[in-house]
Amino acid sequence: MKNQLLKAIAEMPSSAAYYMGQRDGYAYKIQGILNVIPIEDVKTYDYVLKELYWWLDMYNDSFAREMGWV
């Protein structure tokens, strides 16, 4: 399994790797915000979370396109 994963990463186009990294970066930011704020304050951070999810979705679409899945 590990060798198959490494082979898939090695064969991945560099543009897809870029989009994957950006996507993972936004997912990390979202997770960080959700881990820090209390549940009562989620509404206060609504606009920030929506923006981050928008970027995450955009990079996820770009990643899928570069991989030829779409």
Side-chain angles (χ1 to χ4, degrees):
M1 176 70 175
K2 188 175 182 179
N3 288 338
Q4 292 172 338
L5 181 59
L6 291 174
K7 183 180 177 195
I9 291 170
E11 294 174 354
M12 180 187 304
S14 61
S15 57
Y18 168 78
Y19 291 124
M20 183 177 72
Q22 293 295 317
R23 178 195 67 181
D24 292 347
Y26 281 105
Y28 181 78
K29 288 178 186 178
I30 292 167
Q31 190 64 39
I33 290 173
L34 292 175
N35 284 336
V36 172
I37 60 173
I39 197 75
E40 299 83 25
D41 293 341
V42 169
K43 204 167 220 175
T44 306
Y45 288 88
D46 184 46
Y47 70 96
V48 174
L49 291 169
K50 283 182 180 179
E51 180 183 353
L52 290 173
Y53 273 110
W54 183 85
W55 284 105
L56 175 81
D57 190 46
M58 185 189 75
Y59 281 114
N60 198 37
D61 287 347
S62 297
F63 172 69
R65 203 172 310 111
E66 288 296 319
M67 292 299 291
W69 298 339
V70 177

